[in-house]
Amino acid sequence: AARHLLDTGRRHFAVLGFEGAKISEMREAAVVETIRKAGHECPVLRIPVSFSHPRTRIGDESLGDLRDLVRRVPRPGAVFCGNDELARALLEAALNEGVQVPTELAILGADDDDLLCLTSTPTLSSVRVPYHVAGAAAARLLEKRILHRQAKNRVVIPPVEVMMRDSTRVVPGEDRAVEEAMRLMHQGFSDPLKMADLSTAVGMSLSSLERRFRLALGVTPLQELRRLRLAEAR
């Protein structure tokens, strides 16, 4: 998760998790460690688990904290959420605050819950967990215990991959050349960056890149570069 967010070129990060939820805290620790090793700060917000809410484990009293987190993360930024439920709630908070996802804020969840990830607008990127592998491992462990054989008390199944969707793309949509150009701009906007070099890096003429940029984003690459620099200065 951390490597995926770093690869998008973002420089500002945060983590959102559940208070007292062991799996959320384990995920949080790994992401924070990796991002800090890359030389970036990564503040953490934990919200309490609510079992009284009719639809989710996120109580209404935590919605203000989510909006505050959206406002505090500098642009362009990225937030890793301990699960997809948190990612969905943060996405709604961002949209309510007028923050564009993913252009201004990338959001990454975990568990790859189809219902939450694919019905969101934009769709949510998430870390896929191999639950069928975990289920098989649990069955083998149970069998050993039933047969009174010695068995480990705990088996940890690693995640598989990041299922990238629109919430963490550098630019939403299907034009990968524009996305690659945006990724390079996010990584190098504080350095002297010539548009001719940018178009060469993505393998097309400057006029073609400008045309596809306008089609995807409504602006030229130079206008978007100036926007990134202004956002960083703010």
Side-chain angles (χ1 to χ4, degrees):
R3 287 194 296 268
H4 171 67
L5 294 177
L6 288 164
D7 285 346
T8 67
R10 270 85 174 185
R11 301 182 178 192
H12 306 287
F13 304 91
V15 168
L16 173 64
F18 278 124
E19 186 71 52
K22 187 65 176 177
I23 190 169
S24 178
E25 292 176 359
M26 290 173 64
R27 292 169 172 178
E28 165 199 311
V31 169
V32 169
E33 179 184 8
T34 304
I35 288 176
R36 286 179 176 169
K37 283 182 178 178
H40 304 283
E41 291 300 313
C42 189
V44 174
L45 170 66
R46 296 182 186 141
I47 63 174
V49 179
S50 173
F51 294 105
S52 60
H53 197 281
R55 291 185 296 108
T56 71
R57 291 175 293 170
I58 301 169
D60 291 335
E61 67 277 4
S62 297
L63 299 182
D65 292 333
L66 298 184
R67 290 192 292 268
D68 288 341
L69 176 63
V70 167
R71 289 192 289 262
R72 288 202 311 267
V73 178
R75 314 287 189 260
V79 179
F80 169 74
C81 301
N83 68 5
D84 294 327
E85 183 183 343
L86 286 165
R88 178 70 172 256
L90 186 66
L91 174 62
E92 292 178 0
L95 297 178
N96 288 335
E97 288 294 311
V99 174
Q100 297 181 25
V101 177
T103 310
E104 296 180 288
L105 185 67
I107 297 175
L108 177 63
D111 294 332
D112 195 30
D113 185 319
D114 286 351
L115 181 61
L116 293 172
C117 294
L118 298 181
T119 60
S120 298
T121 303
T123 53
L124 282 169
S125 297
S126 184
V127 180
R128 186 162 71 88
V129 178
Y131 285 111
H132 62 290
V133 176
R140 289 191 295 270
L141 183 62
L142 179 61
E143 180 186 29
K144 289 180 181 180
R145 290 187 175 179
I146 290 173
L147 297 175
H148 303 291
R149 296 176 183 171
Q150 196 173 25
K152 294 181 180 179
N153 291 324
R154 185 181 184 197
V155 177
V156 177
I157 306 298
V160 179
E161 61 183 332
V162 171
M163 302 299 292
M164 187 171 70
R165 301 184 180 95
D166 279 346
S167 70
T168 60
R169 294 192 189 279
V170 180
V171 56
E174 298 301 322
D175 194 327
R176 299 285 76 86
V178 172
E179 180 174 4
E180 176 62 12
M182 281 287 285
R183 187 183 68 81
L184 294 171
M185 290 166 66
H186 273 262
Q187 291 179 336
F189 64 81
S190 60
D191 304 319
L193 182 62
K194 296 180 180 179
M195 293 299 100
D197 294 336
L198 184 66
S199 63
T200 299
V202 298
M204 65 177 59
S205 68
L206 180 56
S207 60
S208 295
L209 181 61
E210 287 179 343
R211 177 178 56 80
R212 289 167 68 165
F213 242 81
R214 285 188 179 278
L215 186 62
L217 299 174
V219 296
T220 66
L222 184 57
Q223 288 171 327
E224 180 62 19
L225 181 62
R226 287 171 177 166
R227 186 194 68 79
L228 288 172
R229 288 171 172 166
L230 182 60
E232 178 72 4
R234 284 176 180 153

